[in-house]
């Protein structure tokens, strides 16, 4: 059926201008007629089979975990996995909080205890939030995670409505420390969406926090040790509207991260980074204002032309404004496309998420809708806008957090220099795929790829094949400096490392003991040893 619909979509698309997107409706595959009120959406490979799955947070009905069957269909296995929490879930943050190699799930619940479901493997999840002291019991609307003090473990920031937020710092041993007041990232206003990202290009994670009811947004700048100061006013980021969702990328290819904000009825906002960590509002001239009831938002290069586009959700049941796809024209302006197609989605849009669910290279869109009007509970739009080249990047931290959240990736091809950052949860109650997806238009090779890992290590790779996914592990190549081996060899040359370390007192294989305490001798131990000798 999917292939038949694809042929119809392509035939229809041939009559349109080249800029028009080609999406087909896959909503029935994820119970598109669901009558539950859904707020959050997440794309994550829960069972680590290579096919990304979908998790939906709902209100007063069980949450849903749609396991990807790899054939365009999904099976809801939330109950089997123990993830069918039935309450008021507004956000789900998927991350490897314990650095053990599999994804865990933090649920932010409204007027109910929050939950952290630890992944025990084999499809078993157990809620450990209460015993870790991070259950909370507030009006949670959003949550996100980052390694704010660069110790290799993810910390958790929780946004509550009209109550003080929560900030939990990992102690590196499986527990958490209440870091809220010491952090300086204090807020008890009408908090909504939030995102951690490196605003000032200094290598650590800053925090942008949105508010509703015309309360001023905050930009908390990190000093590198997890201490924050709100500099939103001095940096031009103190927008005050009815903020809901936020997403971050370098949409204009200048190497600095830009901010897009959705608002309710007040016009959306695009803040361009001026190249020094300060911001200018270019919403009007960029053509991305939209006066609907905006909620979720995500940057995605839907047509792989090398420029990040924007998809954002409106609550049509209240505002009669449809969802919008803005096509990035490559000159700091956007053009609305896809009008009159399924992308309009006249439903009560809330959280959206993007990711390549069918492994065809393009990013698909999942929309979680609340109730109202003729709203469809969950929508899935398969992206079949195929034609341009692309490359997908996945990252694995060793000394840095296992998910590598906070990594900065810079890609060079014949006609493009692109920069993006691996974010955790962002938007409004959403979690996009961890794959960084780059469009290349007709460029035939990636000349080089530069990764700045969260711990500061910078590695370069060369001559990457296109139209496929590449997986990179922190520390896997660029430490082979003893014999000048910098030619992109994908394996560690351990003898090179030992020769280098011998100059600093490391004389035998005892140097390769389990220094990180994880029970294995891995690249992480080599990196740890190099860090001890100040060689990173």
């Amino acid at each position: 059926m999917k292939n038949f619909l694809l042929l119809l979509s392509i035939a229809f698309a041939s009559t349109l201008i080249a800029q028009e997107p080609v999406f087909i409706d896959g909503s029935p595959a994820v119970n598109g007629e669901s009558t539950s009120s859904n707020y959050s959406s997440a794309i994550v490979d829960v069972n680590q089979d290579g096919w990304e799955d979908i998790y939906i947070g709902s209100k007063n009905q069980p949450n849903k975990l749609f396991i990807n069957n790899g054939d365009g269909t999904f099976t809801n296995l939330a109950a089997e996995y123990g993830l069918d929490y039935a309450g008021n879930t507004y956000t789900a943050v998927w991350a490897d909080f314990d650095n053990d190699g599999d994804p865990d799930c933090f649920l932010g619940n409204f007027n109910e205890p929050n939950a952290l479901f630890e992944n025990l493997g084999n499809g078993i999840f157990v809620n450990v939030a209460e015993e870790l002291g991070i259950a909370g019991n507030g009006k949670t609307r959003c949550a996100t995670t980052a390694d704010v003090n660069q110790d290799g473990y993810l910390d958790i920031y929780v946004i509550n409505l009209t109550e003080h937020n929560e900030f939990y710092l990992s102690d590196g041993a499986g527990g958490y420390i209440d870091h809220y007041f010491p952090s300086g990232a204090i807020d008890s206003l009408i908090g909504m969406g939030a995102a951690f990202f490196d605003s000032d290009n200094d290598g650590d994670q800053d925090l942008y926090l949105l508010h509703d009811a015309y309360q001023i947004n905050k930009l908390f700048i990190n000093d590198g040790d997890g201490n924050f100061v709100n500099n939103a006013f001095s940096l031009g980021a103190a927008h005050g509207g009815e903020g809901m969702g936020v997403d971050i990328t370098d949409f204009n290819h200048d190497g600095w991260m830009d901010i897009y904000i959705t608002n309710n009825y007040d016009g959306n906002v695009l803040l361009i980074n001026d190249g020094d960590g300060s911001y200018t509002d270019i919403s009007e001239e960029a053509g991305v204002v939209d006066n609907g009831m905006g909620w979720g938002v995500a940057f995605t290069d839907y047509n792989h032309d090398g420029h990040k586009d924007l998809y954002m959700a409106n609550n049509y049941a209240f505002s009669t404004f449809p969802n919008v796809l803005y096509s990035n024209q490559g000159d700091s302006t956007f053009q609305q496309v896809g009008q009159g197609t399924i992308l309009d989605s006249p439903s009560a849009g809330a959280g959206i998420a993007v990711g390549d669910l069918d492994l065809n290279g393009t990013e698909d869109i999942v929309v979680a809708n609340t109730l109202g009007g003729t709203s469809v509970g969950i929508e899935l739009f398969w992206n079949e806008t195929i034609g341009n080249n692309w490359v997908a990047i996945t990252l694995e931290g060793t000394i840095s957090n296992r998910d590598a959240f906070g990594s900065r990736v810079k890609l060079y091809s014949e006609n493009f220099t692109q920069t993006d950052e691996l974010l955790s949860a962002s938007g409004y109650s959403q979690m996009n795929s961890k794959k960084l997806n780059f469009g290349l238009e007709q460029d035939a090779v990636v000349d080089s790829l530069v990764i700045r890992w969260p711990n500061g290590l910078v590695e370069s790779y060369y001559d990457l094949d296109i139209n496929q996914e590449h997986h990179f592990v922190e520390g896997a190549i660029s430490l082979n400096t003893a014999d000048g081996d910098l030619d992109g060899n994908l394996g560690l040359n351990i003898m090179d490392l030992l020769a280098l370390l011998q100059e600093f007192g490391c004389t035998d294989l005892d140097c390769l003991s389990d220094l990180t305490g994880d029970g294995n001798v891995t690249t992480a131990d080599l990196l740890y040893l190099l860090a001890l000798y100040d060689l990173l």
Side-chain angles (χ1 to χ4, degrees), residues 269-502:
V269 175
L270 177 59
L271 299 178
I272 189 171
N273 196 311
D274 296 326
D276 58 3
S278 64
Y279 293 86
T280 299
D281 183 349
I282 64 164
S283 313
E284 292 284 351
E285 50 266 50
V288 291
V289 172
D290 191 76
N291 291 302
M293 192 177 185
W295 291 89
V297 58
F299 281 102
T300 175
D301 187 355
Y302 79 88
N303 57 1
H304 284 156
D305 67 351
H307 305 295
K308 290 293 186 183
D309 313 299
L310 269 169
Y311 187 72
M312 52 85 55
N314 281 313
N315 189 326
Y316 188 88
F318 283 84
S319 66
T320 66
F321 280 75
N323 295 354
V324 177
L325 177 61
Y326 288 112
S327 176
N328 186 341
Q329 302 299 291
D331 58 0
S332 294
T333 68
F334 292 76
Q335 175 185 337
Q336 186 175 347
V337 295
Q339 300 97 314
T341 72
I342 59 172
L343 295 176
D344 283 350
S345 178
S347 291
I352 67 172
V354 298
D356 183 7
L357 293 165
D358 53 3
L359 298 184
N360 71 344
T362 60
E363 290 188 307
D364 311 300
I365 302 173
V366 176
V367 185
N369 296 308
T370 62
L371 295 179
T374 59
S375 185
V376 175
I378 307 164
E379 292 174 300
L380 167 61
F381 304 136
W382 296 110
N383 184 356
E384 304 292 350
T385 315
I386 299 172
N388 286 326
N389 294 325
W390 56 276
V391 67
I393 306 298
T394 59
L395 304 174
E396 180 181 335
T398 52
I399 286 183
S400 299
N401 67 86
R402 187 67 174 259
D403 290 306
F405 290 137
S407 296
R408 183 71 65 89
V409 174
K410 197 161 192 174
L411 178 149
Y412 299 88
S413 60
E414 181 180 357
N415 293 298
F416 295 100
T417 299
Q418 301 183 57
T419 305
D420 209 355
E421 188 169 312
L422 182 57
L423 307 182
S424 61
S426 62
Y428 173 80
S429 299
Q430 70 192 54
M431 184 99 191
N432 297 321
S433 167
K434 291 199 306 175
K435 293 181 185 179
L436 292 174
N437 192 293
F438 293 92
L440 302 172
E441 204 171 46
Q442 293 302 304
D443 287 359
V445 67
V446 174
D447 298 321
S448 64
L449 188 83
V450 179
I451 305 170
R452 188 193 72 192
W453 298 90
N455 81 324
L457 177 67
V458 177
E459 297 185 299
S460 298
Y461 295 80
Y462 303 95
D463 299 326
L464 301 184
D465 292 335
I466 60 171
N467 299 330
Q468 63 181 264
E469 177 184 325
H470 296 270
H471 180 74
F472 299 107
V473 178
E474 181 181 22
I477 61 166
S478 63
L479 301 177
N480 309 346
T481 57
D483 62 1
D485 181 14
L486 297 173
D487 61 357
N489 175 12
L490 295 180
L492 266 177
N493 186 330
I494 293 178
M495 296 309 297
D496 288 338
L497 289 168
L498 287 175
L500 178 63
L501 290 170
Q502 282 174 1

